[in-house]
Amino acid sequence: MNSENFSLSEKIVSTSYIRQGREARRSHEQLIRHLLEQGKCPEEGWSESTIELFLNELAVMDSNNFLGNCGVGEREGRVASSLVARRHYRLIHGIGRSGDIAAIQPKAAGSSLLNKLTNSVVLDILKLSGFEPVVVENVLEGDELRTDLEAVECKIKELGAENILCVHSTTSCFAPRVPDRLEELAALCAKHNIPHIVNNAYGVQSSKCMHLIQQGARIGRIDAFVQSLDKNFMVPVGGAIIAGFDESFIQEISKMYPGRASASPSLDVLITLLTLGASGYKKLLSDRKEMYLFLAQELKSLASAHRERLLHTPHNPISLAMSLDGLQADSDKAVTQLGSMLFTRQVSGARVIPLGKEQTISGHTFRGFMSHSEAYPCPYLNAASAVGITREDVTLCIKRLDKCLKTLKKEGNAAKNISAVLPLCQEETTEE
């Protein structure tokens, strides 16, 4: 409790007792303060009560524990089992960001702080004094970004099949990108004898994504497909499932792992599936499909009300996108401002994609970074109907998004009016 709450408590319980309790808590807080100040392993070990207090304080800083948070992304820190959640002190989001595991995770200030402190403490204890990715751009078909099969085949011929380690495709992507053409890619890989690995990050929850993998393996080559545990089974971030159609190949992968691995992901999934049962998990998948239709309907109505449109991406069964052309026209900064407004209003997972952003990863510069295209025609906003999403999540997201768009539009109109008045004022001043 903070000092104000302690003072209020004195009206209920004897002041002397409350003060004694306040001093006891202060001793815990002093240990935590020293850790934050020094970033070093404490000389004397902490009690369990201090550790639990600290972890709980960190956990409330993560967005999945915010009061009133509504998540419309594919990774929202949802956990199906309260037993698993308690085991992880509700620190569910994991650490890092795509492309940089050391980056601060915006949804998880507490988990990010935990990670930084852990690295610092371990460093104190320890006294610590390839391959080239070839990116093939997508091709625009209507609103959708789809696999450019002709470009893939040309690149295979250019590099030589014998020089290609594997083709890495994906089913999991943000609209307006849609799952890759797995059947055609699998056929190409079989034809040229190239291994084929599929990123199926959150595809288990989609029957359409799983069907694409089955068909690809049936008519061509898919060596393995990899999926996240947190995205598909509602457990904390940190585990994945590698699956394939050749048991011996999967066994060879398991033999490559250096040393032992943590049992934590297996324990979390086992607890969760035993909690849900097969019928419970099937219901989650059914509910997700229903929420996808509801989210699409609500986004379409909202887009229409703001003279935007829901992008037509029927091949993406999880993610949706809404254009932000009008917002871009009002102000160059309005699009990125929308993203920060939504985040501060506890709408997590909704990605706002402006035009022209660049990012360099492993020596390759991605133009139009996060939009899956060097020149997508419009800025847009993403929302996803992932397993565990609720009607309340969607309703709150739409309500808050509507308010943000109205605020930005009002600010944009005000700025235009000011710019229209200024030349007149200047002219009157000149005449005087």
Side-chain angles (χ1 to χ4, degrees):
M1 290 192 294
N2 58 28
S3 58
E4 183 181 356
N5 286 338
F6 272 117
S7 296
L8 291 171
S9 299
E10 291 177 3
K11 298 178 180 180
I12 304 171
V13 176
S14 172
T15 299
S16 61
Y17 296 154
I18 295 298
R19 287 178 180 172
Q20 191 176 33
R22 179 186 292 186
E23 288 303 314
R25 180 181 174 98
R26 188 172 291 160
S27 64
H28 293 294
E29 292 176 339
Q30 194 169 18
L31 291 172
I32 294 171
R33 180 172 61 81
H34 286 161
L35 175 63
L36 294 172
E37 284 178 346
Q38 300 170 7
K40 294 184 177 181
C41 186
E43 187 66 29
E44 300 296 331
W46 287 5
S47 68
E48 286 187 7
S49 57
T50 303
I51 295 171
E52 289 181 338
L53 174 64
F54 181 47
L55 294 178
N56 285 322
E57 292 282 341
L58 292 177
V60 296
M61 296 168 64
D62 284 6
S63 65
N64 60 291
N65 299 313
F66 290 174
L67 298 177
N69 186 66
C70 62
V72 290
E74 87 297 346
R75 173 182 278 166
E76 292 304 320
R78 302 185 183 104
V79 175
S81 168
S82 59
L83 181 60
V84 169
R86 290 196 303 273
R87 196 172 85 83
H88 290 269
Y89 290 90
R90 302 189 182 279
L91 291 158
I92 310 302
H93 270 297
I95 59 172
R97 305 191 71 179
S98 298
D100 186 358
I101 197 171
I104 300 299
Q105 170 52 245
K107 296 181 187 178
S111 293
S112 297
L113 178 56
L114 172 69
N115 179 49
K116 296 293 184 183
L117 281 173
T118 302
N119 290 344
S120 179
V121 169
V122 170
L123 180 64
D124 179 46
I125 291 295
L126 295 180
K127 309 295 183 184
L128 295 175
S129 309
F131 293 103
E132 178 186 349
V134 177
V135 179
V136 178
E137 293 291 337
N138 295 296
V139 61
L140 186 64
E141 296 181 8
D143 286 334
E144 293 184 324
L145 289 163
R146 307 207 67 185
T147 312
D148 190 338
L149 291 169
E150 183 178 347
V152 172
E153 188 152 32
C154 286
K155 186 61 69 174
I156 290 173
K157 292 177 180 177
E158 174 191 333
L159 298 173
E162 69 281 0
N163 296 316
I164 298 174
L165 174 67
C166 71
V167 168
H168 185 198
S169 62
T170 185
T171 64
S172 299
C173 49
F174 301 114
R177 185 177 178 181
V178 300
D180 283 327
R181 299 181 188 271
L182 291 195
E183 293 180 46
E184 294 91 334
L185 286 174
L188 269 178
C189 289
K191 174 183 174 183
H192 295 284
N193 195 28
I194 300 173
H196 183 192
I197 308 299
V198 180
N199 169 21
N200 191 44
Y202 46 91
V204 175
Q205 61 190 277
S206 167
S207 56
K208 183 178 288 188
C209 291
M210 297 307 290
H211 177 72
L212 287 174
I213 292 173
Q214 290 172 342
Q215 285 296 100
R218 185 179 64 82
I219 68 171
R221 178 171 181 174
I222 291 181
D223 296 80
F225 52 102
V226 185
Q227 36 274 309
S228 296
L229 290 180
D230 66 296
K231 295 186 179 80
N232 296 288
F233 298 103
M234 298 173 67
V235 296
V237 171
I241 296 173
I242 301 175
F245 299 91
D246 182 347
E247 184 176 351
S248 62
F249 178 67
I250 301 301
Q251 288 176 346
E252 285 301 314
I253 294 175
S254 68
K255 293 175 183 177
M256 294 173 64
Y257 192 86
R260 296 182 181 181
S262 170
S264 186
S266 297
L267 182 58
D268 291 340
V269 172
L270 180 61
I271 291 172
T272 298
L273 294 181
L274 289 176
T275 300
L276 290 171
S279 61
Y281 189 67
K282 287 176 184 176
K283 186 177 186 306
L284 282 175
L285 300 186
S286 175
D287 290 346
R288 188 207 69 78
K289 281 187 178 181
E290 183 180 333
M291 285 300 101
Y292 175 85
L293 297 176
F294 180 56
L295 177 60
Q297 173 188 323
E298 293 294 294
L299 267 182
K300 185 175 182 179
S301 297
L302 179 67
S304 178
H306 288 275
R307 296 184 179 179
E308 300 288 355
R309 65 191 184 90
L310 181 68
L311 301 181
H312 185 61
T313 56
H315 291 93
N316 194 319
I318 295 175
S319 179
L320 294 157
M322 168 185 145
S323 72
L324 295 174
D325 280 315
L327 205 58
Q328 178 75 40
D330 287 339
S331 167
D332 290 337
K333 296 181 179 179
V335 173
T336 52
Q337 189 177 350
L338 174 62
S340 61
M341 288 176 72
L342 288 171
F343 185 74
T344 57
R345 286 158 180 77
Q346 299 181 14
V347 177
S348 59
R351 300 163 65 255
V352 175
I353 310 299
L355 298 175
K357 186 176 180 180
E358 290 191 3
Q359 179 82 20
T360 299
I361 299 175
S362 298
H364 183 89
T365 299
F366 292 89
R367 295 175 177 82
F369 184 67
M370 300 297 284
S371 69
H372 317 289
S373 169
E374 290 195 348
Y376 196 74
C378 68
Y380 57 85
L381 174 142
N382 276 125
S385 175
V387 66
I389 191 172
T390 66
R391 183 172 287 266
E392 184 181 22
D393 286 329
V394 175
T395 302
L396 278 173
C397 169
I398 296 298
K399 182 180 179 180
R400 293 171 184 175
L401 175 56
D402 183 39
K403 284 186 177 180
C404 290
L405 290 171
K406 286 176 178 176
T407 298
L408 288 170
K409 187 175 182 179
K410 185 177 180 180
E411 291 175 354
N413 289 336
K416 288 179 181 177
N417 290 336
I418 291 173
S419 63
V421 170
L422 280 175
L424 178 61
C425 295
Q426 292 170 351
E427 184 177 343
E428 289 175 351
T429 303
T430 303
E431 287 178 355
E432 289 178 1

